[in-house]
């Protein structure tokens, strides 16, 4: 993946999140405790099968579909913004630490799975 594409993905994430935050009073509509609980359950499921799976495996892609669904409770990201989210997980120290607390390779694995999911384009509006 080229640097220009990654920059577009980072920019899409920043722009879409800023727009959504402004339009929803900082995501006031989101049940944050429920979202965090749902992500915790999901990340535990991914961690449990990560060592015996590939990011493109149907089971993993189904788990990523659930991840996308949880993300959509905030706003529906474009394909590029969703890839930008994967980059953010890898590049932000606290996000990397949080995700890798579930499994040492979580950020790398989940990021690749998220990029594959975005490439397939199912469920994205743009």
């Amino acid at each position: 993946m080229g640097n220009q594409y990654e920059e577009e993905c980072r920019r899409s994430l920043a722009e879409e999140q800023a727009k959504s935050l402004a339009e929803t009073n900082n995501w006031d509509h989101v049940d944050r405790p429920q979202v965090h609980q749902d992500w915790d359950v999901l990340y535990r499921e991914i961690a449990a099968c990560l060592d015996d799976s590939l990011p493109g495996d149907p089971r993993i892609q189904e788990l990523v579909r659930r991840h996308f669904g949880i993300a959509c409770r905030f706003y529906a990201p474009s394909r590029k913004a969703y890839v930008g989210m994967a980059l953010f997980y890898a590049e932000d120290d606290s996000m990397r630490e949080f995700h890798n607390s579930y499994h040492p390779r979580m950020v790398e694995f989940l990021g690749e799975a998220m990029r594959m999911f975005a490439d397939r384009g199912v469920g994205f509006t743009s």
Side-chain angles (χ1 to χ4, degrees):
M1 187 178 317
N3 281 344
Q4 182 177 353
Y5 179 73
E6 288 183 358
E7 278 306 312
E8 290 174 19
C9 292
R10 288 182 192 97
R11 188 171 48 253
S12 292
L13 177 67
E15 290 172 358
E16 291 176 30
Q17 283 188 344
K19 182 176 187 287
S20 175
L21 283 163
E23 291 174 349
T24 62
N25 192 28
N26 295 320
W27 294 326
D28 196 40
H29 64 287
V30 177
D31 182 343
R32 292 173 198 261
Q34 186 64 55
V35 163
H36 292 293
Q37 180 182 334
D38 292 346
W39 259 323
D40 180 62
V41 167
L42 178 64
Y43 290 151
R44 289 175 191 277
E45 286 183 54
I46 294 170
C49 58
L50 192 151
D51 288 327
D52 299 323
S53 303
L54 295 172
D57 288 352
R59 166 139 174 77
I60 297 300
Q61 286 298 299
E62 174 58 23
L63 292 170
V64 173
R65 185 197 61 72
R66 283 176 43 204
H67 179 275
F68 178 74
I70 295 169
C72 285
R73 294 182 201 171
F74 294 88
Y75 72 101
S78 68
R79 291 164 68 165
K80 285 184 181 176
Y82 195 60
V83 172
M85 191 180 302
L87 293 168
F88 177 66
Y89 290 172
E91 295 166 354
D92 181 84
D93 289 342
S94 62
M95 292 300 281
R96 173 180 275 286
E97 184 178 320
F98 168 75
H99 287 86
N100 283 350
S101 71
Y102 289 92
H103 188 286
R105 290 191 310 112
M106 178 66 84
V107 165
E108 171 190 343
F109 185 88
L110 180 60
E112 188 173 338
M114 288 169 69
R115 284 187 287 277
M116 290 176 165
F117 182 82
D119 285 346
R120 290 190 178 110
V122 177
F124 292 92
T125 57
S126 59

